[in-house]
Amino acid sequence: MRHMCKALTKTNRHIVEGYYIRQEEVSYCFKDDADEHPDNIKHFIVFDRSIDWGLPNEHIKAEVDADTVCEAVSGLLTTGGRLLYEHDIVNIKTTSYSFEKYEIIWNEKECCFCGRKQISSETEKLCNGFDLIRLSADWKYEYKGNTKTDVRTV
């Protein structure tokens, strides 16, 4: 499932999962021409949908809001079996610790996905020395929401 993504559609704000495409509709020779057409770049999630047994699948290209695109975290699932995505908020249980309200982010320095503590108060920050942790396939993840695609996220 490499490069699997999810995002909100532009039309009805539904979440779609599939493969992300950034598409320029017209190639401009000069930068000034490109600057005059900022809406030239479109963002899509492509996915397929089964119509009925024995019939070819329907391939759909949904235009999405680029600010809501989240990449799947390869190999990590929640306790309920769903894929984990960038910007998901999760509670994490290891063999020794429990961490609450961590946002999954891409860490450029470490070149991996990490959990970043969602600080709700300065006191909580002082009590918890783990503000950024590397994720492990051995841990349990409980999904709580997503900061980009879920308005219910705390």
Side-chain angles (χ1 to χ4, degrees), residues 4-54:
M4 184 72 139
C5 294
K6 76 174 179 179
L8 292 175
T9 60
K10 279 193 148 187
T11 54
N12 57 15
R13 307 295 288 172
H14 285 132
I15 296 173
V16 290
E17 294 178 305
Y19 299 95
Y20 172 68
I21 296 173
R22 178 187 178 275
Q23 180 178 358
E24 290 186 43
E25 292 194 330
V26 177
S27 297
Y28 292 102
C29 183
F30 300 105
K31 184 179 179 331
D32 292 342
D33 291 339
D35 291 344
E36 289 177 19
H37 300 90
D39 58 342
N40 182 47
I41 297 172
K42 306 287 185 194
H43 304 271
F44 299 96
I45 295 285
V46 178
F47 58 97
D48 62 292
R49 177 170 53 199
S50 175
I51 298 172
D52 202 351
W53 295 107

Side-chain angles (χ1 to χ4, degrees), residues 129-151:
F130 300 100
D131 292 333
L132 188 67
I133 56 174
R134 293 183 96 174
L135 303 178
S136 169
D138 297 329
W139 297 350
K140 294 186 185 328
Y141 301 93
E142 180 186 4
Y143 179 80
K144 292 297 184 184
N146 185 291
T147 60
K148 299 279 184 175
T149 63
D150 190 347
V151 294

Side-chain angles (χ1 to χ4, degrees), residues 57-102:
N57 287 345
E58 180 181 21
H59 301 287
I60 300 165
K61 185 167 100 172
E63 189 172 1
V64 297
D65 179 352
D67 293 333
T68 66
V69 174
C70 302
E71 187 176 340
V73 180
S74 183
L76 295 183
L77 302 172
T78 66
T79 50
R82 71 186 279 167
L83 276 174
L84 282 178
Y85 285 91
E86 184 178 19
H87 303 293
D88 278 355
I89 303 297
V90 293
N91 289 344
I92 303 170
K93 289 190 184 356
T94 71
T95 53
S96 306
Y97 299 100
S98 290
F99 303 101
E100 292 188 0
K101 293 185 183 173
Y102 273 73

